[in-house]
Amino acid sequence: MTIAWQLGLFSTYHDFSLIVNSSMSIKNISVIGAGTMGNGIAHVFAQNGYDVTLVDVGQQALDRAIATITANLGRQVKKGAITEDDQKNTLAHIKTETQLATSVKAADFVIEAATERYDLKKEIFQTLDNNAREGVILASNTSSISVTELAATTKRASHVIGMHFFNPVPVMKLVEIIRGLATTDEVYSTVKALSEKVGKTPVEVNDAPGFVSNRILMPMINEAIYTLMEGVAKAEDIDTVMKLGMAHPMGPLQLADFIGLDVCLAIMNVLHDGLGDSKYRACPLLKKMVAAGMLGKKSGRGFYKY
Ligand code: CAA
């Protein structure tokens, strides 16, 4: 099989895509992965009237996700941003599934938000490709994995795209849309329109390590960790400098704890491998903390205790 074929440059789906790939025709959305990003994405689509199928391997993870969405909607009710009826309607738009293959058969659009591991995403994309209807767009919420490489694992590379949301998804306005090498203009326009329909501001980015967001954010976090490791200042003081001096809503070390130190390390490794410049080497303290299981908020201990 030639590389061009793998990349879908000779895709036969082009004509059909004109029918399926209009944001107007999208009603059923499958969200794969019920973690922090997956439940936030499901929340936002459901709140905007889409029928969402939230998919994960275990019912426990799905139940946790529904509880989180319910609580986050409750926050919005308390603030007067939405009514209790809106909360009920949003929840009524979400169903859960544990079987990936069958759950995407009726999807008009699929977004994957599984753990940030290439081997896992590759397997998911192959299952999606084999089970979603022809012409349906397969998006990934990946924060650093190459969209072009993910696309090449399917037979519809022209219909694979990055749709990168930010945490907390209901609050953060940005969607970074990453075009793989073979992503068509129609597919890009559909995802752009879909992002706007759910109240987000899309930004177009080409496929490159870390895209724009993590190409800039992660080296800043990594530098903050070096600053801590070298004893320049205490964690709280490093964060205070960035909060009060630069008007960041959260300091870089607290943000690293929220993102997960394992995720930060994985992204630094993608930047280092992909760009080959030693300035992207992960800080030894970051590596040590990940090895020790100090992964941030989710493990109860990172730069701070939770
Ligand atoms: N769902 C719904 N609403 C939420 C929410 C959630 N999960 N979390 C917070 N909110 C709402 C609150 O109800 C509140 O609403 P109002 O403005 O209407 O009052 C608002 O968001 C602000 O929340 P809080 O008052 O509780 O707290 P805050 O002022 O400290 O803001 C924050 C919280 C928005 C998270 C803020 O601290 C912040 O902007 N932090 C930085 C977030 C960030 O950088 N995210 C990007 C991470 S990187 C990433 O996601 C991608 C990657 O690839 C690594």
Side-chain angles (χ1 to χ4, degrees), residues 72 75 79 143 164 166-168 170-172 214 249-250 255 259:
N72 285 334
R75 238 188 233 258
K79 290 273 157 74
S143 50
H164 185 203
F166 292 79
N167 187 36
V171 180
M172 305 305 277
N214 283 320
M250 244 180 208
L255 183 55
I259 292 169

Side-chain angles (χ1 to χ4, degrees), residues 32 37-38 41 110-119 121-122 125 138-151 160-166 175-180 205 207-214 263 266-267 270:
I32 316 305
M37 297 308 288
I41 294 167
V110 181
I111 176 161
E112 168 278 322
T115 306
E116 194 69 357
R117 270 185 18 229
Y118 175 72
D119 54 337
K121 288 192 193 280
K122 178 180 168 188
F125 265 76
L138 307 180
S140 175
N141 179 58
T142 179
S143 50
S144 62
I145 290 170
S146 165
V147 172
T148 307
E149 277 182 45
L150 279 181
V160 174
I161 194 162
M163 189 180 194
H164 185 203
F165 287 87
F166 292 79
V175 173
E176 202 176 26
I177 303 181
I178 301 105
R179 299 180 73 130
V205 173
D207 194 15
F211 315 134
V212 171
S213 54
N214 283 320
V263 176
I267 297 173
V270 166

Side-chain angles (χ1 to χ4, degrees), residues 94-112:
I94 305 175
K95 64 175 179 168
T96 59
E97 280 271 2
T98 52
Q99 298 304 315
L100 181 60
T102 48
S103 65
V104 296
K105 298 255 186 233
D108 304 317
F109 181 84
V110 181
I111 176 161
E112 168 278 322

